[in-house]
Amino acid sequence: MPDSPHRVRRVLATAAAPGRFGAVLDRIGTEVAALGERGRPADYIPLLAGADPRRFGMAVAEPDGTVYGVGDWREPFSTQSITKVFALALVLALEGAEIWRRVGREPSGNPFNSLVQLEYENGVPRNPFINAGALVVTDRLQTLTGHAAGRVRDLLREESGNSDVDFVPEVAASEATHGDRNAALAHFMASYGNITNPVPHLLAAYFSQCSIAASCADLALAAGFLARRGVRANGSVLLTRSQTKQVNAVMLTCGTYDAAGEFAHRVGLPGKSGVGGGIVAVVPGVCTLCVWSPGLDRHGNSVAGVWALDRFTTLTGLSVF
Ligand code: DON
C-alpha cells in the first residue's frame, strides 16, 4: 500500500541513517563518542540510577511519518517528564483554554520540583511542565477521562504506531518510594482547590504516566503533531494551530526548567526533557527529534542530549529563530 501523507511508517537504519537528515545524524553519532563529561543519571528514582551515561540514541521523524536514527534510537527508556507534553495536549484538546485558569505559562526560574513559588502565587503553578503544573494537568486529565495515565499511554501508542509502548510498574513504584515532594506539592495545591482528585489517586496516575517506556523513534513519531500544526498521524486533528503554537511556545520557554534560556540559546527549538535522559524537540513544519542519553546536568536535562540537539541545529541551520 502506498504511503499516505500522514501514515506512520518506520524506516530501519542501515549502516548510514537514511532520510533528509541522515548524514547529520551519522555525524552527530560519531562525534558524540568523543564527548567527555556526560553528567549523572537521576538517582532520586532508584530504578533509574544504574543507567549507563555512555548510552546515546537520536531519532528524527519527518512529518510524513518517516523515522530514522543513530545509536540506541530504538531502545526504550523512561520517558518521565516528556509525557507532560502529551498530557497537556490531551487536556487542551478536551477542554481548550480552561486549563490556563489553573496553571500559568511563565518560566519558573526554579528547579522542576520546587515548592517555593506555590505559596505566594496561591497554589497556581507557573507552567505545566514543572512538577506542580504537571500534577494539575494530570488532575484535570483524570477528571476529564477517568484514566489519565492510560490516555497518555494510548496517545503515545497511536502516534508512534507501537503498541509495545507501556507503563513500567517497577519504575512507578520506585518513584513512589521517594514521592514525598510531589505529594507535598499536590496536597498544597489541593488546599487551594487546584487539585480535585484524591491526592493518592493523582500521584498513582502521575507516577504511572512518568513510568512509560518508549524509544527515541517512538517519541519522535509521537510528537509529530507538534510539527504538523496539530494534525495526528492518521490525519485527524488533535490540536488547533493556535493550541499547537501554545504547546510549542511553553516547551521553548519552560520545557527544560531553569535551563530553558540556555537551551533556547544553544538549540533554538521547543524542547521537553525528562529525567530518564530523553529530550523531544520540534522543528515546526520540518521534523521532530528525540535524543536519549541518561547522564543529566544539575537542572535534570541530558548532557549529551542537549549537546546533540545543539549540534543538529548548528549543522542544519534549522531553528525557530
Ligand atoms: O516528578 C518527577 O520527579 C518525575 N517523575 C519527573 C521529573 C522529570 O522528568 C523532570 N525532568 N527533567
Side-chain angles (χ1 to χ4, degrees), residues 64-236:
D64 68 354
T66 304
V67 65
Y68 44 91
V70 287
D72 302 314
W73 66 290
R74 283 167 291 183
E75 175 84 14
F77 62 88
S78 195
T79 56
Q80 296 295 324
S81 287
I82 294 173
T83 59
K84 295 171 180 175
V85 173
F86 298 91
L88 176 63
L90 285 167
V91 170
L92 277 172
L94 288 165
E95 69 168 5
E98 195 61 25
I99 186 64
W100 300 122
R101 292 157 60 97
R102 291 172 169 263
V103 63
R105 47 211 187 221
E106 293 293 345
S108 70
N110 280 311
F112 64 83
N113 57 2
S114 173
L115 286 139
V116 292
Q117 281 164 339
L118 268 184
E119 182 164 19
Y120 58 80
E121 296 185 356
N122 302 316
V124 177
R126 275 288 174 103
N127 67 68
F129 294 152
I130 51 174
N131 285 9
L135 286 163
V136 167
V137 171
T138 297
D139 182 67
R140 280 308 292 156
L141 191 56
Q142 184 67 22
T143 299
L144 292 164
T145 68
H147 191 9
R151 291 296 283 265
V152 172
R153 179 196 59 186
D154 292 349
L155 180 63
L156 289 170
R157 284 182 173 179
E158 288 159 13
E159 297 310 292
S160 67
N162 183 3
S163 58
D164 290 338
V165 170
D166 212 345
F167 309 120
V168 180
E170 297 80 8
V171 170
S174 182
E175 177 159 16
T177 61
H178 289 67
D180 292 333
R181 186 171 279 257
N182 281 323
L185 290 166
H187 280 295
F188 192 67
M189 292 186 290
S191 77
Y192 285 94
N194 205 12
I195 294 290
T196 59
N197 288 280
V199 168
H201 295 186
L202 169 62
L203 291 175
Y206 175 74
F207 294 148
S208 287
Q209 172 192 316
C210 289
S211 82
I212 294 171
S215 68
C216 290
D218 296 327
L219 290 167
L221 283 169
F225 66 90
L226 294 171
R228 290 190 297 259
R229 302 183 194 281
V231 176
R232 296 184 59 163
N234 66 6
S236 67

Side-chain angles (χ1 to χ4, degrees), residues 11 66 69 77 132 148-149 184 216 246-247 263 269-270 292 296 320:
V11 178
T66 304
F77 62 88
C216 290
Q246 291 171 6
V247 176
F263 187 83
L269 295 174
W292 170 60
L296 308 179
V320 295

